[in-house]
Amino acid sequence: GCAWQNSELVPNMWLWVTFLRSGRADVFRMAEAMTRHTSEVDVYHFGEYAGLGSRHNVIHWGCGCKEARIAMAGLHRYYYYLTGDERVGDIMDSVKDADYSTVTLDPMRAYFPKDEFPTHVRVGPDWAAFSSNWMTRWERFEDTAYRDKIITGMDCIKRANLRLLSGPTYGYDPATGLLSGMGDDNWGRHLAISMGGPQVWFELAAMLEDPDWGDMLAEFGVFYNLPQEEKDAFTGGLISGKLRFEHPVLSVAIAAYGAYYRKDPATAERCWSILLENPFGGVNLQEEADQVTYMTELNEIDWMNTNEASQWSLNTIIALELIGSALPERAN
């Protein structure tokens, strides 16, 4: 379960973006400590799981989910580019071939049997994590082989029946970077957008100057929270309902991008409704925090958890940047 978060739902990104937005020294120190911990302790640095990390557990190595998203370079780039820390630079480079480790431990082994593909990955969080590793290798060393691997994956997704909406699970060959379609409606779509994928993909759209990729991101964001009848009209009924598009708060970053990219006021309004109607949107720290005692006394809101705090906060910051003009007056 959720006994220990590690870098699940990207609290690192939330903390670093909060620092960049606020300049607060205490936030920097917390983000720095989080970066040190997650990059060293939660990641396998050698052996058959090299480049993967452990998702949950109080005992760090106890979780069966050994995934690339926990170790991805996209979590640590903020600290590296702010400080030039050489150890973090080495760690980011060490995960550049993490996709090969998924052949040893298929991320989708519980859902798909062994078949003609070396392994199976989801567009996100798996391929998104790989692409953050490759993007970092490319931007630091101008290593075009890793840039080309990103482009290969993008081209495969562009050729899918419904582009980024298809899947999200593909057969995958790390030697070629090819993603092979396995249908338009399979497992794990909400995970594509809650583990740092959009934050990586937004940068890639700008770095590669690829309008098709930007349009695909916008399409996914606008689509995510549509009523099912509108989803059916768009896809011809090929994608099933709410079970595939869970947890609307997780979608706000990519939905806000869709609203911004397409100048879509209805989607922008939907984003703010999702955020402001969530309990986080109305929390009063003075009224709701209770004093509890662990090692020392502290104030704690008992219904709040780190997963939701990191995603609500990160997505709200992105929404303020992209669709801040659509923020309702009552929330200003």
Side-chain angles (χ1 to χ4, degrees):
C2 300
W4 196 268
Q5 190 185 21
N6 299 350
S7 54
E8 179 86 341
L9 285 109
V10 294
N12 309 50
M13 287 186 171
W14 159 44
L15 293 170
W16 281 120
V17 171
T18 297
F19 166 71
L20 292 171
R21 188 167 180 261
S22 67
R24 285 174 49 181
D26 58 340
V27 175
F28 181 94
R29 292 304 178 197
M30 186 173 181
E32 179 181 48
M34 187 79 175
T35 298
R36 291 290 187 202
H37 180 92
T38 58
S39 66
E40 296 284 6
V41 181
D42 298 329
V43 175
Y44 289 88
H45 298 281
F46 55 87
E48 61 183 357
Y49 299 156
L52 308 182
S54 290
R55 184 175 70 142
H56 286 313
N57 226 290
V58 172
I59 300 173
H60 282 77
W61 310 114
C63 179
C65 288
K66 312 296 185 187
E67 301 206 5
R69 69 186 191 233
I70 299 302
M72 70 177 186
L75 297 168
H76 312 314
R77 290 164 68 244
Y78 305 87
Y79 185 60
Y80 176 77
Y81 288 127
L82 285 167
T83 67
D85 186 275
E86 291 185 8
R87 172 58 183 160
V88 170
D90 290 344
I91 288 171
M92 293 193 305
D93 199 45
S94 72
V95 299
K96 63 184 181 297
D97 296 318
D99 53 329
Y100 284 87
S101 294
T102 64
V103 177
T104 301
L105 198 68
D106 189 325
M108 299 303 290
R109 62 196 179 279
Y111 298 93
F112 298 100
K114 285 287 186 182
D115 54 23
E116 69 270 28
F117 305 116
T119 189
H120 306 88
V121 301
R122 296 149 293 184
V123 170
D126 308 306
W127 185 84
F130 304 157
S131 60
S132 89
N133 301 338
W134 301 333
M135 176 178 73
T136 306
R137 174 69 186 184
W138 172 38
E139 68 186 353
R140 291 184 67 209
F141 299 104
E142 299 184 2
D143 191 334
T144 56
Y146 288 88
R147 177 205 61 194
D148 294 347
K149 209 166 184 180
I150 296 170
I151 294 171
T152 295
M154 284 183 169
D155 287 343
C156 293
I157 299 165
K158 290 175 184 179
R159 291 194 297 269
N161 187 37
L162 298 170
R163 303 200 300 177
L164 196 58
L165 295 170
S166 286
T169 300
Y170 287 73
Y172 179 65
D173 183 353
T176 63
L178 290 172
L179 295 162
S180 300
M182 299 179 65
D184 295 315
D185 193 26
N186 52 50
W187 296 98
R189 187 169 280 109
H190 75 280
L191 295 177
I193 54 171
S194 59
M195 307 294 174
Q199 290 71 33
V200 173
W201 292 338
F202 298 160
E203 288 198 57
L204 282 174
M207 291 170 70
L208 293 168
E209 298 181 335
D210 186 340
D212 291 336
W213 183 249
D215 186 64
M216 289 161 64
L217 298 178
E219 180 177 71
F220 189 105
V222 170
F223 183 90
Y224 196 94
N225 296 302
L226 289 176
Q228 186 58 41
E229 57 270 21
E230 293 186 43
K231 285 187 168 84
D232 290 341
F234 186 82
T235 68
L238 292 176
I239 294 180
S240 54
K242 197 170 184 179
L243 288 176
R244 296 288 198 264
F245 293 86
E246 302 170 283
H247 312 303
V249 166
L250 306 181
S251 74
V252 168
I254 198 166
Y257 183 88
Y260 166 81
Y261 191 95
R262 295 192 169 183
K263 298 179 173 57
D264 181 343
T267 298
E269 182 180 354
R270 193 174 286 121
C271 287
W272 285 118
S273 294
I274 290 168
L275 291 171
L276 297 176
E277 291 171 12
N278 185 275
F280 281 88
V283 67
N284 186 318
L285 295 176
Q286 300 303 316
E287 294 178 5
E288 296 198 40
D290 296 319
Q291 194 170 79
V292 295
T293 301
Y294 294 107
M295 297 296 289
T296 58
E297 289 186 349
L298 54 89
N299 292 327
E300 183 177 85
I301 298 173
D302 61 5
W303 57 263
M304 192 175 285
N305 64 73
T306 318
N307 277 356
E308 293 181 18
S310 59
Q311 278 293 298
W312 188 90
S313 301
L314 179 61
N315 289 350
T316 299
I317 291 169
I318 292 170
L320 286 168
E321 175 65 26
L322 295 177
I323 54 169
S325 60
L327 181 67
E329 286 188 14
R330 62 186 172 85
N332 287 325

